[in-house]
């Protein structure tokens, strides 16, 4: 079974279809590549191929200016357990969550006024260097933070 075989595909969230300006009747007889943006199909095809091989998958994919979390599952024939009769899934728009996570990370690791890396950022870099096995040689570290704290 492959992506191009005739098989019902159900996507539960209608907004993804609306956002893509798609209508399922327009999709009949066409491949994903013909109807979906390249940015989406380049991410989705490897995952959807796994679904058509019988595996349930979850993945995030960009569609135009939005990011969707997708969960897609094969439905097997009860009479022939190895035969997939349908593929179902859902997509949730996670764009705002991704943007909020980026903003939180920016606030946690950079000074909001100067946008320079802060102490948390510095500490994480040093911690990663300490734990990195490729750091065969030691490294020297000079910390100005205690001196700066005395000045404040």
């Amino acid at each position: 079974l492959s992506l191009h075989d005739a098989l019902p595909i159900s996507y539960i969230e209608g907004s993804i279809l609306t956002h893509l300006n798609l209508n399922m009747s327009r999709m009949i007889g066409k491949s994903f590549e013909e109807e979906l943006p390249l940015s989406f199909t380049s991410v989705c095809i490897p995952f959807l191929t796994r679904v058509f091989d019988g595996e349930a998958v979850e993945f995030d994919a960009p569609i135009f200016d939005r990011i969707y979390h997708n969960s897609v599952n094969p439905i097997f024939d009860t009479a022939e357990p190895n035969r997939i009769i349908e593929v179902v899934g859902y997509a949730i728009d996670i764009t705002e969550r991704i943007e909020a996570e980026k903003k939180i990370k920016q606030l946690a690791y950079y000074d909001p006024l100067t946008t320079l890396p802060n102490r948390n950022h510095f500490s994480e870099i040093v911690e990663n260097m300490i734990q990195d096995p490729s750091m065969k040689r030691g490294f020297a570290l000079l910390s100005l933070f205690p001196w700066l704290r005395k000045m404040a």
Side-chain angles (χ1 to χ4, degrees):
L1 191 61
S2 77
L3 279 173
H4 303 292
D5 292 337
L7 188 69
I9 299 175
S10 306
Y11 242 76
I12 295 169
E13 185 178 311
S15 68
I16 193 170
L17 297 176
T18 304
H19 187 75
L20 291 170
N21 192 27
L22 292 178
N23 142 346
M24 288 314 284
S25 63
R26 219 175 81 199
M27 294 276 300
I28 294 173
K30 295 186 179 177
S31 70
F32 284 105
E33 294 92 338
E34 290 176 295
E35 288 296 317
L36 298 173
L38 180 60
S39 64
F40 183 74
T41 56
S42 63
V43 171
C44 293
I45 297 300
F47 290 104
L48 294 176
T49 300
R50 289 172 40 200
V51 172
F52 282 87
D53 287 339
E55 183 182 343
V57 297
E58 290 194 22
F59 60 95
D60 296 340
I63 303 174
F64 299 117
D65 61 338
R66 312 299 295 168
I67 300 171
Y68 286 88
H69 177 76
N70 299 268
S71 177
V72 188
N73 299 280
I75 304 297
F76 295 95
D77 189 340
T78 54
E80 294 180 54
N82 292 331
R83 185 173 155 253
I84 299 171
I85 58 172
E86 184 176 2
V87 173
V88 296
Y90 65 87
I92 299 171
D93 185 343
I94 60 168
T95 308
E96 284 81 18
R97 188 194 84 198
I98 298 292
E99 289 171 358
E101 288 171 356
K102 286 180 186 175
K103 179 73 174 171
I104 289 167
K105 187 172 183 176
Q106 176 72 22
L107 291 170
Y109 292 109
Y110 295 89
D111 179 81
L113 183 61
T114 63
T115 67
L116 293 171
N118 65 17
R119 184 183 300 197
N120 291 334
H121 189 261
F122 176 76
S123 297
E124 188 169 298
I125 289 172
V126 170
E127 185 65 32
N128 289 339
M129 289 175 71
I130 292 169
Q131 293 178 3
D132 186 354
S134 68
M135 297 290 289
K136 294 178 181 154
R137 295 181 155 186
F139 58 91
L141 181 63
L142 172 65
S143 175
L144 299 175
F145 290 117
W147 178 73
L148 290 173
R149 195 179 352 219
K150 288 178 184 173
M151 289 180 58

